[in-house]
Amino acid sequence: MGKPIKVFKVGAVEAAIFENQTAKGTMKNMVLSKRYKTAEGELKSTNSFGASDIPKASLALSKAYEYLLMGNGAEEEPVDL
């Protein structure tokens, strides 16, 4: 997977938007994940969310959906919400 074109971060939760080239043209997809550190201090990500992560995930998803609907395609820095 390449570099995302847009990332919406809400705490440890992030919604990353990627562009993929297909036979039908450019498609945009979104990946939802949560970043965390292991006991050894290693940074990892997961697609498992606790109850306190759900409002953060909802906001990140909402912002990603808004971005995709508005047709924004310029590469920008990640957005911390």
Side-chain angles (χ1 to χ4, degrees):
M1 197 177 314
K3 182 180 176 182
I5 62 168
K6 185 77 170 177
V7 178
F8 296 94
K9 292 182 179 182
V10 184
V13 177
E14 59 184 44
I17 299 173
F18 295 86
E19 277 189 341
N20 298 309
Q21 299 299 322
T22 70
K24 294 183 178 184
T26 302
M27 304 289 288
K28 290 186 174 99
N29 295 307
M30 193 271 319
V31 174
L32 184 68
S33 61
K34 179 176 76 172
R35 307 281 288 179
Y36 68 96
K37 281 189 179 180
T38 64
E40 296 78 29
E42 184 180 357
L43 191 60
K44 293 197 171 196
S45 64
T46 182
N47 61 356
S48 178
F49 301 90
S52 64
D53 297 318
I54 294 172
K56 297 171 189 171
S58 178
L59 180 56
L61 284 169
S62 178
K63 291 297 183 180
Y65 184 61
E66 178 181 335
Y67 176 84
L68 291 170
L69 282 182
M70 300 305 280
N72 296 319
E75 290 188 30
E76 300 175 23
E77 292 296 315
V79 176
D80 287 318
L81 303 172

